Amino acid sequence: FGGMKPVIVVHGGAGRIFKEREEGCRAGVVRAALRGYAILKQGGSALDAVEEAVRSMEDDPHFNAGCGSVLNEKGEVEMDAIIMDGKNLDSGAVSAVKCIANPIKLARLVMEKTKHMLLTDHGAHLFAQAMGVPETPGEKLVTERSRERWKKNLEPDSNPEEFQKDLGTVGAVAIDSEGNVACATSTGGLSNKLIGRVGDTACIGSGGYADNHSGATSTTGHGESIMKVVLARLVLYHMEQGMSPAMAADTALDYMKTRVGGLGGVIVIDNSGEWAARFSTKQMSWATIKDDQLHYGIYAGERHTKSIDEALISEGEGL
């Protein structure tokens, strides 16, 4: 393999994570990081690693992506996803897709099998069919929790903003042994959103960005705010100006907060394998593996560390 030490960082969404869901969220990001890292350790690509990590979280109902996605105003799941290759700036994204278990896989197909970067709604659906992607009945993606929340938000005196705080977009960034970086992000979007709403996740430079010249980032938080400042690209811009990943992330999040009043979180990796997981919300579930050491947390300042062997044993026991 190349001379680079592989690193993966994942997030399970910024916002407010309810107490009873904390353990599930921690376990979910740790599992995703372990799965992505296993690919990198075998000499696999950053692209494959981030796709696998995100797919793992899409399949986990604790997160607002894939199964467990929030519902739009009509009570349906509409999902967005993006993936990007830092080597040649290739990217693929899908928006407002329904009845697919893993939107991130479809985004990867858009990148590799079309000349386009973003397919939406009906067109994305036709493309999925053409690619032989199996259809998942919509109700299979709907959890009891999402339906409850949707109903609550329909009540005349409800404030969907209150519930938005528990978002759970998922994402991953990685660098492989060849020194290539990649990012992937996937989400069910905002609860009770208008039909056809496209958030930051599907938009290049907002929901994610990857460039071998600087690094890769994946974002989470209030989508409209993220789009206004093109958050993912902004973080990388600050790194290009010489900031460390943590400093760049904090500076960009700070700008989003002061300029448009938006809160969120980012995971970042630079092209030498330095990483950061930063957020301006109350919480963000995150995990990273570097040098066979796993670090993870949810609260600001919280950081658990385990050797990867310990982590795999507890993973085998269902954490």
Side-chain angles (χ1 to χ4, degrees):
F1 305 144
M4 199 64 217
K5 276 190 175 154
V7 186
I8 188 159
V9 193
V10 305
H11 72 73
R16 183 182 61 189
I17 297 161
F18 296 110
K19 265 278 181 272
E20 72 274 11
R21 303 179 63 75
E22 271 182 24
E23 273 324 291
C25 285
R26 271 198 195 94
V29 288
V30 166
R31 184 178 307 124
L34 287 167
R35 287 190 178 164
Y37 193 69
I39 288 175
L40 296 171
K41 277 302 264 192
Q42 292 156 11
S45 70
L47 211 51
D48 286 344
V50 294
E51 181 186 0
E52 176 55 31
V54 165
R55 192 196 57 75
S56 161
M57 292 184 284
E58 285 177 340
D59 291 345
D60 185 331
H62 279 94
F63 303 108
N64 173 18
C67 174
S69 287
V70 298
L71 310 186
N72 67 11
E73 55 177 358
K74 253 179 68 185
E76 301 169 331
V77 165
E78 284 188 326
M79 300 164 292
D80 295 349
I82 193 168
I83 193 165
M84 186 166 183
D85 183 349
K87 195 169 24 193
N88 47 19
L89 306 189
D90 276 352
S91 178
V94 292
S95 175
V97 295
K98 304 181 186 77
C99 306
I100 290 179
N102 298 111
I104 199 64
K105 284 185 162 169
L106 192 58
R108 174 91 184 251
L109 287 168
V110 170
M111 176 172 88
E112 294 182 341
K113 305 287 185 202
T114 77
K115 293 194 176 80
H116 307 310
M117 286 173 75
L118 172 58
L119 290 181
T120 176
D121 197 1
H122 184 57
H125 175 71
L126 293 175
F127 174 66
Q129 279 181 328
M131 288 290 122
V133 174
E135 251 185 70
T136 304
E139 40 296 357
K140 269 246 171 77
L141 300 172
V142 177
T143 58
E144 197 39 51
R145 177 166 168 269
S146 298
R147 188 164 296 291
E148 282 304 299
R149 168 196 278 176
W150 174 71
K151 282 195 191 126
K152 272 211 181 86
N153 285 339
L154 287 179
E155 290 165 12
D157 56 349
S158 86
N159 175 11
E161 292 301 308
E162 233 343 271
F163 291 96
Q164 289 320 349
K165 297 198 172 79
D166 177 25
L167 277 177
T169 297
V170 305
V173 294
I175 189 164
D176 59 31
S177 54
E178 301 294 323
N180 293 313
V181 298
C183 71
T185 312
S186 178
T187 190
L190 286 177
S191 191
N192 298 61
K193 62 190 177 179
L194 294 181
I195 291 167
R197 177 255 190 186
V198 177
D200 65 296
T201 301
C203 300
I204 190 170
S206 293
Y209 202 82
D211 182 350
N212 281 6
H213 293 166
S214 46
T217 180
S218 168
T219 67
T220 166
H222 184 245
E224 280 69 15
S225 299
I226 289 170
M227 290 158 94
K228 286 174 187 174
V229 303
V230 197
L231 186 63
R233 193 64 192 82
L234 185 59
V235 173
L236 290 186
Y237 166 78
H238 286 310
M239 285 185 353
E240 288 156 3
Q241 304 300 305
M243 286 187 192
S244 69
M247 184 77 187
D250 285 346
T251 305
L253 285 167
D254 202 48
Y255 177 73
M256 184 167 84
K257 193 172 172 178
T258 52
R259 188 72 178 85
V260 298
L263 300 180
V266 290
I267 50 173
V268 202
I269 196 162
D270 73 11
N271 55 9
S272 64
E274 291 303 305
W275 63 274
R278 311 291 297 173
F279 47 100
S280 52
T281 50
K282 272 222 176 80
Q283 290 142 296
M284 179 179 81
S285 53
W286 62 272
T288 183
I289 304 176
K290 181 177 183 174
D291 292 329
D292 288 343
Q293 287 284 329
L294 163 77
H295 308 279
Y296 60 97
I298 284 186
Y299 291 93
E302 173 193 359
R303 182 157 161 185
H304 307 282
T305 303
K306 277 183 183 175
S307 77
I308 188 164
D309 296 336
E310 268 180 279
L312 284 166
I313 289 162
S314 48
E315 171 66 15
E317 293 162 1
L319 279 170

